[in-house]
Amino acid sequence: QVQLVESGGGSVQNGGSLSLSCAATAWTGRMGWFRQAPGKEREWVACFYTGSRGTYYADSVKGRFTISSSQTNGKNSLVLQMSSLSPEDTALYYCAATVRLPTGGACSESKDYDVWGQGSRVTVSS
């Protein structure tokens, strides 16, 4: 079973930058980031398809957030680099992976992901 462990996040002022990292025990067909602000539903942020199928972003973060992946010493990491942060970006951020095959469904739908990280908090103050 794939396991995801998140790190990073924290507090930053309006306009600042933060990064989140998701350590995965294995790559899967699709990996993504979601967030949930207090009192709101979980929202898709971005997703990354292995096998060069591309990277996609929600309109609310496009141009400000970037996904990157790396494999170092056998460790797989999915990084979400966030810039120009605003208080509207304050949320609990989750890394997720789609394990099922084929990798169907939608990049932006939480129901199409099978494994989730524990969440990492991002707080942006005005």
Side-chain angles (χ1 to χ4, degrees), residues 2-77:
V2 174
Q3 293 183 323
L4 305 174
V5 178
E6 300 173 30
S7 59
S11 298
V12 68
Q13 291 195 331
N14 190 25
S17 299
L18 282 173
S19 66
L20 297 171
S21 183
C22 176
T25 53
W27 288 126
T28 66
R30 175 176 58 217
M31 301 187 71
W33 288 97
F34 286 76
R35 66 186 182 185
Q36 188 164 16
K40 295 187 177 181
E41 293 187 353
R42 190 169 295 187
E43 173 190 25
W44 170 65
V45 174
C47 74
F48 165 76
Y49 283 90
T50 57
S52 301
R53 287 179 58 190
T55 303
Y56 301 89
Y57 299 91
D59 287 343
S60 58
V61 307
K62 198 173 294 183
R64 301 188 298 120
F65 290 14
T66 303
I67 278 184
S68 62
S69 63
S70 66
Q71 186 175 39
T72 305
N73 296 327
K75 296 183 180 179
N76 306 305
S77 294

Side-chain angles (χ1 to χ4, degrees), residues 72-84:
T72 305
N73 296 327
K75 296 183 180 179
N76 306 305
S77 294
L78 188 72
V79 176
L80 183 68
Q81 182 65 44
M82 305 177 290
S83 61
S84 301

Side-chain angles (χ1 to χ4, degrees), residues 25-26 37-38 40 45 51 90 92 95 111:
T25 53
K40 295 187 177 181
V45 174
T90 294
L92 196 59
C95 176
K111 65 179 177 62

